[in-house]
Amino acid sequence: MARVLAVDWDRDEARYVLAATGGGKVKVEAVEAMPRVDVAEGGAEPRPDLSGSLAAALSDMKAGRVSALVGVERSSIELLHFTLPPAKDHELPELVLNQAMRESQLISEQSIVDFFAVDDDPTAPRSVIAAAISPDELARIQQTCVAAGVKPERMLLRPFASASLFAKLAAPSEDGYLLVNRFTDEVDLTIVVDQKPVFFRTVRLPESASEAEARGRLLTEIRRTLAAAPQTHLGGEAVECIYLFGRGGDHQELVEQIPDDLAMPANVFDPFEALRVPEEMVPEDSGRFAPLLGMLLDEAAGSHAVDFLHPHKRPQPVNRARIAIIAAAVLGVAILGIAFNTWSTWSEIDGQNQILA
């Protein structure tokens, strides 16, 4: 099994999970979250030192020698959902890029665009979720990783990884559901239909709010997400249940309040329990590690929905000139072979005639 490091961060902390992956399985070896330490140079204003915080945490792990998966938060990318005419999979990359540039002025030919096709039938209209990141933002993330001694092999979208984890491990019976994943001061809200994510929101919670106020704000954002999701994205399905990432005792007040306020059930899903991670390794607020575990599980399965370092691309067109040159060379070799064989045969016959004469 290969050792793989999954890492992501937000404004307050960085997180990582080190695991052995292979054969569709993940064996967690280390889990940690570290606050972003503020540093100041020459009396300047203190600033969060993300790369330094990561480097200090990973120094004993020789993380540079393992494959690294880097999670990208929703706020770092431009996310679009549109429908394209019927098209085959190899035609989608060019169609998606052209449509994305028409839909958003922030996306250009220099943007790194990857996508996830919601519909698989090439004879029907293709519903697509496209994610774009600017070259500057991509370079900034890569520089942070390099400074921390980490070489990213993949750059993945955080909400996609959480949704993939849940679909693989929870095997929900509902056709439509909402996933809620709370981090330090922000929350990922993802609507999934038929095991495919179709609508995303990331919201920030008030920094100085009490836990009760943050819980009330989160409930409001859940209600807004359910109301804001276009029916075209849901495909006629309805959200039947809400799942919150965490441990059994986490989010207890929300789990009890959601049925009363939103008239639908709510449950807590523990990703570490689903992966059978030993109890002593499970961190507090375990739900915030769900995207990292999802990235590792997708890596073990050999499939990622969106990867900014390896985006979907149109196959290279056939180089007809090169094919013609190769064909001519093969034909030339064949002609030379036939000529040599003919010359050799006639030489043998001529030698026999001379002997007979």
Side-chain angles (χ1 to χ4, degrees), residues 23 53 60 69-70 81 100 102 147 155 183 192 201 212 216 240 257 287 301 329 353:
S53 301
D60 296 332
L69 313 175
V70 180
H81 191 150
R102 284 195 290 267
M155 200 169 291
F183 301 91
V192 181
R201 289 185 72 221
E240 304 173 60
Q257 194 171 354
N353 287 338

Side-chain angles (χ1 to χ4, degrees), residues 36-99:
R36 295 173 62 167
V37 179
D38 288 343
V39 298
E41 298 178 0
E45 185 73 17
R47 58 179 177 79
D49 181 21
L50 175 59
S51 57
S53 301
L54 276 174
L58 302 176
S59 59
D60 296 332
M61 291 176 22
K62 297 181 181 179
R65 300 184 183 181
V66 300
S67 300
L69 313 175
V70 180
V72 180
E73 59 184 346
R74 169 67 179 85
S75 59
S76 298
I77 57 101
E78 182 80 1
L79 197 65
L80 302 171
H81 191 150
F82 45 75
T83 301
L84 298 171
K88 297 180 180 179
D89 288 346
H90 72 271
E91 298 173 327
L92 286 178
E94 185 174 352
L95 294 174
V96 168
L97 177 59
N98 292 335
Q99 184 64 29

Side-chain angles (χ1 to χ4, degrees), residues 21-26 164 168 295-304:
T21 64
K25 297 181 179 179
V26 173
S164 178
K168 286 183 173 71
M295 290 189 283
L296 292 166
L297 202 60
D298 287 343
E299 183 72 9
S303 175
H304 296 280

Side-chain angles (χ1 to χ4, degrees), residues 63-276:
R65 300 184 183 181
V66 300
S67 300
L69 313 175
V70 180
V72 180
E73 59 184 346
R74 169 67 179 85
S75 59
S76 298
I77 57 101
E78 182 80 1
L79 197 65
L80 302 171
H81 191 150
F82 45 75
T83 301
L84 298 171
K88 297 180 180 179
D89 288 346
H90 72 271
E91 298 173 327
L92 286 178
E94 185 174 352
L95 294 174
V96 168
L97 177 59
N98 292 335
Q99 184 64 29
M101 289 190 294
R102 284 195 290 267
E103 295 271 345
S104 174
Q105 296 180 350
L106 300 177
I107 300 176
S108 66
E109 292 185 353
Q110 286 71 44
S111 300
I112 296 87
V113 179
D114 201 7
F115 64 89
F116 170 72
V118 179
D119 303 308
D120 299 324
D121 186 1
T123 63
R126 307 296 298 271
S127 180
V128 171
I129 298 175
I133 189 170
S134 69
D136 291 342
E137 181 66 14
L138 185 72
R140 185 187 66 80
I141 295 174
Q142 288 177 316
Q143 289 170 2
T144 299
C145 293
V146 170
V150 175
K151 182 180 179 181
E153 296 290 337
R154 299 187 183 277
M155 200 169 291
L156 310 168
L157 191 56
R158 192 173 73 186
F160 270 106
S162 299
S164 178
L165 170 81
F166 186 82
K168 286 183 173 71
L169 297 181
S173 59
E174 298 89 358
D175 292 329
Y177 51 87
L178 172 66
L179 299 178
V180 181
N181 196 3
R182 180 176 174 181
F183 301 91
T184 49
D185 66 343
E186 61 186 24
V187 183
D188 283 348
L189 301 117
T190 306
I191 293 180
V192 181
V193 174
D194 295 332
Q195 311 309 326
K196 295 180 179 180
V198 297
F199 186 71
F200 306 85
R201 289 185 72 221
T202 296
V203 298
R204 294 198 181 277
L205 301 177
E207 294 185 23
S208 57
S210 64
E211 184 58 31
E213 292 172 333
R215 188 167 58 249
R217 174 66 178 275
L218 179 53
L219 187 61
T220 299
E221 295 298 343
I222 291 174
R223 186 182 298 108
R224 287 175 178 170
T225 302
L226 296 174
Q231 287 300 314
T232 53
H233 292 18
L234 301 182
E237 299 290 345
V239 175
E240 304 173 60
C241 187
I242 296 174
Y243 292 95
L244 299 100
F245 287 101
R247 307 196 71 184
D250 297 343
H251 315 298
Q252 187 60 40
E253 295 83 357
L254 268 176
V255 170
E256 296 174 355
Q257 194 171 354
I258 285 174
D260 295 334
D261 287 13
L262 302 176
M264 68 175 63
N267 297 292
V268 175
F269 172 71
D270 185 351
F272 285 93
E273 181 180 359
L275 282 172
R276 299 180 180 178

